[in-house]
Amino acid sequence: MLRGLGWATLALVVMAVAAWLLSRFWPLPAAQREDRRLLEAVQPNEGRNGFALLWTLPFDGLDQAQREAALADDLQRWKALPSPASHASVLAAAHAPLKLDGAGRCAVGPVGCLAQVRADPQRFADAHAGHAGLHERLARLADFDRFDSPFQPSGIELMPLPAYTPLLDGASAQALAYLQGDVAGAVEAGCRSVRFGRRMMRTSSTLMDSMMGAVVVRIHAALLGDMLIEQSPDYVLPASCEAALQPLQADEQSLCQAMQGEFAMNKAAIEASTQTAGSRLLLDRDHTLARIAGNFGWACRPAAAEALAADVPLFVSPPPQWDVGCVANPLGCTVSAIAGPSYAQYAARSQDAAAMIRLLGAQRWLRSQPGTAADALARLPAQWRSDTRMPTLSADGRYLQLQRRGPAREGEGPYLSMPLRAD
């Protein structure tokens, strides 16, 4: 009996080892291999990198060379000891960052930023007191071509990210300048903000960077629409606005580069988790990375570029299912199944930023046309519409609108809109 039990135990061990080996060497699906290839085929961005200014945006009294030096110091500290303590700039020890007053930022909701500032200009003026340097730096961000972060993922530590709140300080400051009589300056500043937002969307190192770029584009396009509707139809935009307000191309809306950054962070975490023999028994590096690639690779596939060009919703891959490879990779399969939240909403937000620019272009074009807006809308040039989201007039005829594709924040309705006449 004991001999039989021993042989049975040995057979079970042999079968378990065989199943583990079969699973470990189970071939990766071609689609996952292709997704990983796309995510690792990172192409460098060209032009001047403005990340040093973005990273040190909250600090006054520094020239560009000092900002570059501060970023270099922070980068060396991160490389030496990646930790949450490395997320704050060493500048904070000698330069107090600018304190921003939330009362100076426009609230999200049906009332536009210009109307909010007009209703209480003193509140916004008080909140922006002493922020001239910040607003000058916000304007200078548009002079850079890219915003590549030099920080690289390190193990399970999240990469340091710049402070994004200062980016939201500009819209109400521009509205205040407009109401104080500097129409041309406010319009040009709004266009510069749109240009910066577009470049941040296109050259983002992380999904957060890309989404902040899209937010900047949306809020400043809306503000420009509110300011321009109060000008005469033949108002001449500053020369810098023409390029900033052209329709966004597919590569500007693409989340591919952002997803390459997200994949790189996941890759660093997985590689840090497979440093011991025991962990490698439960987590197979290549199989796990291939599965995780399926969560991000959709953004880099040719179909994604085609969808963005046509303004149709992107297909976002669902989390991978349990398969034979998971027998030898239970931990990796569990991690990859939860590594992919619903990214469809992020792709939709990028498309909504592009839609806001089209609505602004449609507003400007319609105001130059004879006859009613309803008649002119039927002749709207292709560059200011898409086949899937044709702008329509609101029931009262005061707004040009189209269906919002991304999730609405509290206070927002189902439509993106642009005014067609001043209140």
Side-chain angles (χ1 to χ4, degrees):
M1 183 182 297
L2 292 177
R3 187 180 298 113
L5 183 60
W7 281 111
T9 301
L10 179 61
L12 287 175
V13 170
V14 170
M15 290 173 61
V17 171
W20 187 92
L21 290 172
L22 176 65
S23 173
R24 182 54 62 101
F25 293 101
W26 193 259
L28 298 173
Q32 290 182 355
R33 294 200 306 271
E34 176 62 9
D35 282 339
R36 182 176 174 183
R37 185 191 70 79
L38 292 171
L39 290 166
E40 292 180 335
V42 179
Q43 299 297 318
N45 295 308
E46 297 181 352
R48 295 179 64 207
N49 189 2
F51 189 84
L53 179 56
L54 181 64
W55 177 250
T56 60
L57 199 58
F59 298 96
D60 283 331
L62 302 172
D63 60 27
Q64 187 61 25
Q66 290 172 309
R67 296 180 188 279
E68 296 282 356
L71 174 60
D73 289 342
D74 292 336
L75 180 60
Q76 286 302 115
R77 189 162 60 109
W78 167 255
K79 289 179 178 178
L81 184 62
S83 70
S86 304
H87 287 222
S89 175
V90 293
L91 283 173
H95 297 76
L98 191 65
K99 292 184 178 180
L100 301 181
D101 188 344
R105 290 190 293 275
C106 292
V108 175
V111 179
C113 190
L114 184 60
Q116 292 181 49
V117 178
R118 180 173 275 139
D120 194 357
Q122 191 58 51
R123 171 169 71 91
F124 286 92
D126 292 343
H128 288 304
H131 291 186
L134 171 62
H135 299 151
E136 183 271 333
R137 293 193 294 278
L138 288 172
R140 281 200 290 120
L141 285 170
D143 296 332
F144 294 91
D145 305 295
R146 57 191 177 95
F147 297 90
D148 298 340
S149 172
F151 295 100
Q152 296 298 312
S154 180
I156 61 174
E157 290 294 337
L158 296 176
M159 273 174 37
L161 297 174
Y164 296 115
T165 302
L167 298 177
L168 306 178
D169 208 56
S172 58
Q174 293 160 19
L176 186 63
Y178 171 88
L179 293 172
Q180 292 172 340
D182 186 10
V183 175
V187 171
E188 182 170 15
C191 291
R192 290 180 68 84
S193 295
V194 169
R195 186 166 66 190
F196 156 69
R198 293 174 66 145
R199 290 176 178 173
M200 192 170 179
M201 287 175 66
R202 181 176 56 82
T203 64
S204 56
S205 301
T206 65
L207 184 60
M208 183 65 76
D209 288 346
S210 180
M211 290 299 99
M212 284 306 304
V215 167
V216 169
V217 170
R218 289 198 306 271
I219 63 176
H220 288 279
L223 176 60
L224 283 167
D226 288 340
M227 293 191 293
L228 293 176
I229 202 65
E230 296 184 351
Q231 311 308 308
S232 64
D234 59 354
Y235 176 80
V236 179
L237 286 172
S240 61
C241 288
E242 289 301 332
L245 302 185
Q246 290 299 306
L248 271 72
Q249 301 302 310
D251 66 328
E252 294 179 277
Q253 303 173 56
S254 173
L255 295 184
C256 180
Q257 185 163 315
M259 291 305 186
Q260 288 175 331
E262 298 294 322
F263 179 75
M265 286 190 282
N266 277 264
K267 182 177 180 179
I270 293 301
E271 291 179 341
S273 301
T274 55
Q275 296 302 305
T276 65
S279 64
R280 287 194 290 271
L281 289 174
L282 300 176
L283 195 156
D284 180 85
R285 174 186 179 275
D286 288 337
H287 280 80
T288 302
L289 289 177
R291 289 171 62 86
I292 290 176
N295 292 326
F296 302 119
W298 57 268
C300 298
R301 297 171 192 161
E306 295 169 3
L308 292 171
D311 189 35
V312 299
L314 274 68
F315 171 75
V316 177
S317 302
Q321 300 298 308
W322 196 270
D323 58 22
V324 175
C326 293
V327 173
N329 187 33
L331 182 57
C333 288
T334 300
V335 169
S336 61
I338 62 174
S342 175
Y343 289 110
Q345 61 175 313
Y346 300 112
R349 287 172 179 168
S350 180
Q351 290 182 303
D352 281 350
M356 282 297 292
I357 294 296
R358 291 198 301 271
L359 279 177
L360 181 57
Q363 179 208 63
R364 295 169 55 209
W365 184 85
L366 286 171
R367 296 188 72 210
S368 68
Q369 301 304 301
T372 67
D375 291 338
L377 192 57
R379 308 189 305 272
L380 186 66
Q383 70 186 110
W384 304 125
R385 57 179 170 81
S386 77
D387 292 338
T388 59
R389 289 195 288 180
M390 178 70 181
T392 60
L393 297 178
S394 61
D396 58 8
R398 296 174 55 211
Y399 294 93
L400 192 63
Q401 62 186 25
L402 52 76
Q403 192 75 33
R404 184 188 303 275
R405 183 164 291 157
R409 295 175 294 178
E410 185 176 356
E412 292 181 327
Y415 294 102
L416 303 170
S417 65
M418 195 67 62
L420 284 179
R421 62 172 184 261
D423 291 332

